[in-house]
Amino acid sequence: MTRPPHDRTVVSDLVVRPAVPGDIHALHRFVVALAEDEAFPGDVTASPSSLTDALFGAHPVAEAVIAAVRERPVGFALFYPTYSTVLGRQGIHLDDLYVDRIWRGRGVGRILLKYLTDIANARGCGRVEWWVLRTNVDAIRFYRRLQARGLDEIEVMRLDGDALRSF
């Protein structure tokens, strides 16, 4: 039985599974909600169609998993492979992890991240990495409780927009 939103206990009927094409609209809804939650600078230009191409097209560039309670999606993680020349091994970059607000605090995010680390271990990956906006203090606190560490020695750099086109 699905617990009411005010019950903060761990969700016992949660299932995490690979995303399928039928999940695209839920995934898009999660992407938009994540951007809104983070007050992300800029508009979300991803569409259900672009997500479909990225995850299920002729040349998929990412994978996603869905957390569902009684078949209702309540969260997701989207990730893609990386490679470390230092480790000489593949890694995983977690691009997004999101849990609907009413399902937070009940272990859904932790279970999603555990599912992803199980994938990484099964594939022989050397690391799972992700970026977190410095303003997202709740997420940073959550990740630190899981023993994730911030990397002070790395500065994220980006070329986009006009700079990308004119380089």
Side-chain angles (χ1 to χ4, degrees), residues 17-27 48 51-53 55-57 64 66:
R17 59 169 174 76
V20 296
D23 294 319
I24 286 298
H25 290 287
L27 288 167
L51 287 171
T52 299
D53 289 344
L55 298 172
F56 307 109
I66 294 285

Side-chain angles (χ1 to χ4, degrees), residues 93-164:
H93 179 84
L94 171 61
D95 195 58
D96 287 329
L97 186 144
Y98 179 80
V99 175
D100 272 336
R101 188 169 295 281
I102 64 169
W103 292 98
R104 292 179 192 165
R106 291 190 270 171
V108 177
R110 180 177 174 72
I111 292 168
L112 276 165
L113 197 53
K114 172 67 171 124
Y115 191 93
L116 193 60
T117 60
D118 288 346
I119 290 171
N121 287 319
R123 294 178 184 179
C125 295
R127 58 175 65 141
V128 175
E129 297 179 308
W130 59 94
W131 302 339
V132 182
L133 290 175
R134 288 184 179 102
T135 57
N136 193 343
V137 293
D138 291 338
I140 292 168
R141 199 173 11 250
F142 166 71
Y143 293 132
R144 294 215 173 148
R145 280 195 313 265
L146 300 177
Q147 298 181 12
R149 63 184 178 89
L151 300 175
D152 294 332
E153 66 272 20
I154 293 177
E155 183 76 30
V156 176
M157 306 300 292
R158 177 180 290 165
L159 280 172
D160 61 1
D162 291 339
L164 175 64

Side-chain angles (χ1 to χ4, degrees), residues 9-29:
T9 58
V10 173
V11 181
S12 63
D13 48 356
L14 179 76
V15 173
V16 177
R17 59 169 174 76
V20 296
D23 294 319
I24 286 298
H25 290 287
L27 288 167
H28 186 259
R29 177 176 59 83

Side-chain angles (χ1 to χ4, degrees), residues 35-52:
E36 289 171 356
D37 275 4
E38 292 183 337
F40 191 78
D43 296 326
V44 173
T45 59
S47 66
S49 176
S50 66
L51 287 171
T52 299

